Amino acid sequence: MPEEDLVELKFRLFDGSDIGPIGYSSSSTVAMLKERVISEWPKDKKIIPKVANDVKLISGGKILENNKTVGQCRPPFGELPEGIIVMHVVVQPSSTKTKTGKLIYGLDEYF
């Protein structure tokens, strides 16, 4: 895989800790990123996602769709410091829903 095809991503968890940075191909899908986040998730956290649908990735203020690629999710502005793109991770366990809506951990920190 050519080096210019790699995109450096860091995943910021709801408590301010990070996973990465890790290099990904620009053809990697958001669904693939979610699987990697789950596999790299720190075991000492109180909230641990179990499946990809428990995780939402946010970049540029938008929730990323599973079928989009890293190349499609790149920010529209110029080069970032250190060339690393930060994606925010929100955990929304499918088993913890309320009658009135969805319970989302960490979202209040961003809005």
Side-chain angles (χ1 to χ4, degrees):
M1 172 170 0
E3 191 170 320
E4 64 272 358
D5 190 41
L6 289 181
V7 178
E8 291 287 317
L9 299 177
K10 182 185 335 184
F11 301 97
R12 176 89 17 105
L13 307 182
F14 58 88
D15 66 354
S17 61
D18 294 326
I19 295 174
I22 303 168
Y24 293 91
S25 165
S26 60
S27 63
S28 298
T29 64
V30 170
M32 292 166 67
L33 299 180
K34 288 179 177 184
E35 291 295 334
R36 180 69 183 262
V37 165
I38 290 171
S39 72
E40 299 282 330
W41 197 268
K43 304 301 180 211
D44 63 340
K45 301 290 181 199
K46 191 160 89 170
I47 300 166
I48 300 175
K50 294 179 179 29
V51 295
N53 285 339
D54 289 353
V55 175
K56 302 281 185 224
L57 296 181
I58 301 172
S59 180
K62 297 183 187 221
I63 296 175
L64 305 179
E65 298 174 30
N66 287 343
N67 62 341
K68 297 289 184 184
T69 65
V70 170
Q72 293 170 318
C73 297
R74 279 186 170 170
F77 37 88
E79 281 300 311
L80 299 169
E82 302 174 21
I84 299 172
I85 297 171
V86 177
M87 292 187 175
H88 295 274
V89 180
V90 176
V91 179
Q92 179 184 0
S94 50
S95 62
T96 343
K97 299 210 177 173
T98 64
K99 288 183 182 179
T100 58
K102 301 174 184 174
L103 181 60
I104 301 176
Y105 298 103
L107 194 57
D108 59 328
E109 295 177 28
Y110 304 110
F111 298 97

